[in-house]
């Protein structure tokens, strides 16, 4: 579990922002109205509260900064030295010391001015003391503005540091630049470290995680190290030196035997001997990389001698508790990150050696006695002098052998990625998705699957006895032809009477005309205008025609014809109603006064009348007009507030209230522009 999470450190505001935040909070969280008519004790309490509240806010914010930033003396030495390399320990402590000093100064200022405010004799003098107290606090904060800016830069950089747990199982990769360290960590973990063909592509520590024997290991990729004096190394190299010095990990020293990194084997061996003191008491594996360019057996004798010397030194780095060097297994390994040959072997060897060392250290510790006391190993009592070796059942041996064969076959099996590289790469090679189908016959794998039509498989329409049915149909057809049976579905004119022939000819003629008319209408449907009834020259839609059709159906057309005529004359004024009994015009002043009700009726018929809102229309669901009026009132009332709120909003590009009351009421008196 990671013990140090620098990403949770609170943001450090700048000096100006710090002052604005605190003073704005004081203005919002404390009373703002005071009058000179108040008792002097109340006025003193008013301003003392403001000074104390401001000092407390400054104290809380500064204490948060001091507490959240790590103390270099109290954290793991790896992080302590790493922060010292990146930010200079002296500057870091000096900045935090200035923050602490500012916190103490602000506390003293508040204490002094609260003491003076106790003896303030007027509103003016108390306010002046309050302004002076807040001003001195702000002056202190302005003086430490550079320290705040420096700590904010450190906080941002620390948040980008990798989350390294110094106490867990760790594999550390080191060596010259451009020898393949980042390529290796990309192969065995899910880390995505940038890989480029030039030196110092990796400028900081990168962390990935891998699994071995159901245990999680963290793999750290370090920047390249050059063989030069300690004081000449830069910050990038010092990150690697710090990790090697303080992390208890298995070290993989990468050696480029091809020389393509720009450094010879002699130079790399010199680097190994110069930093071998950092490898003491750590499992060390020398990895000869890039064997695809230069095999280990093909290097010169001088280089081979240097490699063997490095191997001998690597065996001496980890001395067992009995004082003997470790075995030669897994000390010198070869691999190629390009072809991935030997990558898993290097990872397994490093994890195995680290695991053995950690178990050995735990076995020698004092805690192991407490753990061993909880175990009891039962041993059978000897019955005779005969030696009985452990018996492993034959089934277990066979299962173990079978599992080993499957593992070997799995390693030899070609992956789709290998087949793709062999057959032209991506875009050229097309994977066969059917080769893993589990079918009764392997020849069926490449069969073309039947298509689907209207939700049915084509195979559903195939009758297994179709050939037999076809033969039966052919025999039946042959018998019908022999008997001279004709198709009864076709009408023959010779079998019909003359009246039926005439009716058939009339039906066919009418059918052809209807088809022809329909085709004409369909072809001219878009460009054909709608003809009003009064311009209907063909008189296709007349009341007489409607009457004939209704009569043919056996219905009386009189009522329908009269109703159509009365509706068609709806907008014409009835002369019988517009004239009086004497024949005089109703609009004539000298004429006799007509019936007022009759006249209003005649005028109202000249135009259509609107339906009142309270009238109930069948199908609306209301019992009577009173219920409809009540429902309309409730609906209008329910949308009133919503319509009022929707008049002006955020999207209307207006300021709803130019002077909000909670910001402008009781804050300042007329003629005063000084707020604090």
């Amino acid at each position: 579990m990671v013990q140090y999470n620098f990403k949770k450190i609170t943001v450090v505001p700048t000096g100006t922002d710090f002052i604005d935040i605190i003073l704005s909070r004081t203005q919002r969280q404390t009373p703002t109205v005071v009058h000179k008519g108040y008792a002097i004790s109340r006025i003193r309490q008013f301003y003392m509260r403001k000074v104390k509240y401001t000092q407390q806010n400054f104290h809380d914010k500064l204490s948060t900064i001091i507490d959240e930033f790590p103390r270099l003396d109290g954290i793991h030495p790896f992080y302590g030295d790493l922060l010292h390399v990146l930010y200079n320990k002296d500057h870091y402590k000096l900045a935090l010391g200035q923050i602490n000093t500012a916190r103490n100064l602000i506390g003293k200022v508040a204490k002094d001015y609260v003491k003076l405010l106790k003896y303030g004799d007027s509103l003016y003098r108390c306010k002046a003391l309050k302004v002076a107290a807040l001003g001195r606090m702000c002056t202190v904060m302005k003086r430490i503005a550079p320290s705040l800016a420096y700590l904010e830069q450190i906080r941002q950089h620390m948040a980008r540091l990798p989350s390294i747990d110094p106490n867990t199982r760790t594999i550390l990769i080191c060596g010259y630049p451009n020898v393949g360290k980042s390529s290796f960590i990309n192969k065995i973990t899910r880390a995505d470290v940038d890989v480029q063909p030039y030196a110092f592509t990796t400028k900081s520590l990168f962390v990935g995680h891998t699994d071995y024997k159901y245990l999680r290991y963290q793999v750290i990729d370090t920047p390249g190290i050059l063989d030069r004096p300690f004081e000449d190394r830069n910050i990038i190299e010092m990150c690697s030196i710090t990790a090697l010095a303080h992390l208890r990990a298995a070290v993989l020293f990468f050696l480029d035997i091809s020389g393509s990194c720009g450094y010879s084997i002699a130079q790399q061996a010199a680097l190994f001997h110069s930093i071998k003191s950092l490898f003491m008491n750590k499992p060390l594996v020398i990895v000869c990389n890039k064997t695809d360019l230069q095999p280990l057996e093909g290097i010169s004798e001088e280089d081979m001698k240097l490699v063997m010397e490095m191997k001998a030194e690597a065996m001496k780095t980890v001395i067992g508790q009995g004082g003997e060097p470790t075995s030669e297994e897994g000390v010198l390994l070869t691999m190629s990150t390009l072809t991935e040959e030997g990558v898993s072997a290097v990872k397994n060897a490093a994890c195995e050696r680290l695991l053995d060392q950690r178990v050995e250290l735990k076995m020698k510790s004092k805690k192991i006695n407490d753990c061993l006391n909880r175990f009891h190993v039962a041993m059978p009592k000897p019955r005779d002098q005969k030696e009985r070796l452990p018996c492993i059942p034959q089934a277990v041996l066979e299962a173990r052998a079978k599992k080993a064969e499957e593992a070997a076959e799995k390693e030899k099996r070609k992956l789709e990625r290998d087949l793709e590289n062999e057959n032209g790469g991506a875009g050229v090679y097309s994977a066969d998705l059917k080769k893993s189908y589990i079918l009764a016959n392997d020849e069926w794998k490449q069969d073309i699957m039947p298509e689907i039509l209207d939700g049915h498989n084509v195979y559903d329409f195939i009758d297994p006895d179709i050939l037999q049915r076809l033969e039966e149909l052919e025999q039946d057809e042959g018998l019908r032809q022999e008997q001279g049976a004709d198709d009864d579905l076709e009408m023959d004119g010779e079998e019909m009477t003359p009246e039926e022939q005439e009716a058939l000819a009339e039906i066919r003629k009418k059918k052809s005309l209807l088809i022809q008319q329909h085709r004409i209408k369909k072809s001219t449907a878009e460009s054909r205008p709608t003809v009003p009834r009064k311009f209907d020259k063909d008189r296709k839609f007349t009341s007489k025609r409607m009457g004939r059709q209704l009569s043919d159906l056996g219905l009386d057309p009189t009522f329908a014809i009269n109703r159509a005529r009365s509706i068609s004359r709806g907008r014409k004024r009835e002369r019988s109603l517009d004239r009086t009994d004497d024949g005089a015009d109703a609009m004539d002043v000298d004429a006799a006064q007509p019936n007022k009700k009759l006249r209003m009726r005649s005028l109202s018929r000249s135009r259509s009348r609107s339906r009142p809102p309270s009238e109930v229309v069948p199908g609306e669901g209301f019992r009577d007009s009173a219920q409809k009026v009540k429902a309309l009132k409730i609906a209008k009332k329910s949308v009133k507030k919503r319509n009022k709120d929707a008049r002006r909003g955020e999207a209307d590009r207006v300021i709803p209230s130019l002077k909000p009351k909670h910001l402008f009421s009781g804050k300042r008196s007329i003629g005063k522009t000084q707020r604090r």
Side-chain angles (χ1 to χ4, degrees), residues 14-33:
T14 61
T16 307
D17 292 344
F18 214 122
I19 295 172
D20 290 342
I21 290 169
I22 301 301
L23 294 184
S24 176
R25 181 178 295 177
T26 303
Q27 184 74 350
R28 285 184 288 110
Q29 301 291 338
T30 57
T32 55
V33 179

Side-chain angles (χ1 to χ4, degrees), residues 22-23 25-27 29-31 43-59 105-118 125-138 676:
I22 301 301
L23 294 184
R25 181 178 295 177
T26 303
Q27 184 74 350
Q29 301 291 338
T30 57
I43 296 174
R44 291 171 185 165
Q45 188 65 30
F46 177 86
Y47 286 109
M48 286 166 59
R49 179 176 178 182
K50 282 191 175 294
V51 174
K52 288 180 180 179
Y53 189 84
T54 306
Q55 181 266 335
Q56 188 62 41
N57 281 332
F58 274 122
H59 183 275
L105 285 175
I106 289 174
K108 290 181 180 179
V109 168
K111 185 177 180 181
D112 293 344
Y113 277 88
V114 166
K115 191 181 296 184
L116 293 173
L117 278 166
K118 288 181 180 179
R125 189 158 299 177
C126 291
K127 183 174 183 179
L129 289 172
K130 185 265 297 185
V131 171
L134 268 58
R136 287 190 60 183
M137 293 181 192
C138 295
R676 305 186 180 107

Side-chain angles (χ1 to χ4, degrees), residues 243-426:
L244 286 170
H246 295 291
L247 292 178
R248 193 178 65 180
V251 180
L252 299 179
F253 185 84
F254 271 59
L255 192 66
D256 184 2
I257 58 176
S258 68
S260 60
C261 65
Y263 305 96
S264 64
I265 296 179
Q267 291 176 303
Q268 298 178 62
L271 172 65
F272 176 84
H273 291 296
S274 65
I275 64 173
K276 65 182 179 182
S277 59
L278 300 173
F279 302 150
M280 293 304 297
N281 296 326
K282 294 177 185 175
L284 176 62
V285 179
I286 299 173
V287 181
C288 297
N289 194 16
K290 303 185 182 180
T291 54
D292 56 314
L293 299 177
Q294 175 65 56
L296 181 61
E297 296 80 10
I299 63 176
S300 62
E301 295 182 1
E302 294 83 1
D303 292 340
M304 182 62 76
K305 185 179 179 181
L306 293 173
V307 172
M308 290 297 115
E309 290 178 359
M310 294 168 62
K311 179 181 178 182
E313 291 289 340
M315 292 173 59
K316 296 178 183 178
T317 53
V318 180
I319 304 297
Q321 296 297 327
E324 298 179 357
T326 57
S327 62
E328 297 183 6
E329 295 181 3
V331 176
L332 180 64
L333 298 174
T334 60
M335 75 167 191
S336 173
T337 53
L338 182 63
T339 62
E340 298 188 13
E341 180 182 358
V343 172
S344 60
V346 171
K347 184 194 85 168
N348 295 342
C351 295
E352 191 67 39
R353 296 197 63 191
L354 178 63
L355 196 60
D356 292 343
Q357 189 213 27
R358 290 173 67 93
V359 170
E360 185 180 357
L361 290 176
K362 288 180 180 178
M363 291 295 291
K364 299 299 180 182
S365 64
K366 295 180 180 179
K367 292 183 180 179
I368 193 64
N369 295 326
D370 299 334
C371 297
L372 289 177
N373 291 333
R374 303 174 190 173
F375 296 104
H376 172 67
V377 181
M379 296 296 293
K381 294 181 179 180
R383 295 177 297 179
D384 47 27
Q385 301 299 325
K386 188 176 180 180
E387 182 181 3
R388 290 177 173 82
L389 298 175
C391 178
I392 301 176
Q394 185 65 27
V396 175
L397 294 174
E398 292 176 358
R400 187 182 299 174
K402 185 178 179 181
K403 188 176 291 186
E405 290 177 2
E406 290 178 356
E409 184 180 352
K410 190 175 181 180
E411 289 183 0
K412 294 178 183 178
R413 187 178 63 186
K414 284 190 176 182
L415 302 177
E416 285 292 335
R417 181 171 55 191
D418 303 331
L419 294 174
E420 182 182 18
N421 294 332
E422 292 176 4
N423 295 299

Side-chain angles (χ1 to χ4, degrees), residues 217-234:
Y217 291 78
Q218 71 176 0
V219 186
I220 301 177
D221 179 25
T222 62
I225 309 172
L226 299 179
D227 184 21
R228 53 185 177 181
F230 186 81
E231 58 273 6
D232 294 340
R233 290 195 167 103
N234 55 25

Side-chain angles (χ1 to χ4, degrees), residues 650-669:
E650 297 176 356
D652 293 326
R653 298 185 181 179
V654 296
I655 301 174
S657 180
L658 295 177
K659 297 179 72 175
K661 187 174 181 181
H662 69 282
L663 292 179
F664 288 90
S665 62
K667 298 293 183 181
R668 294 161 54 189
S669 59

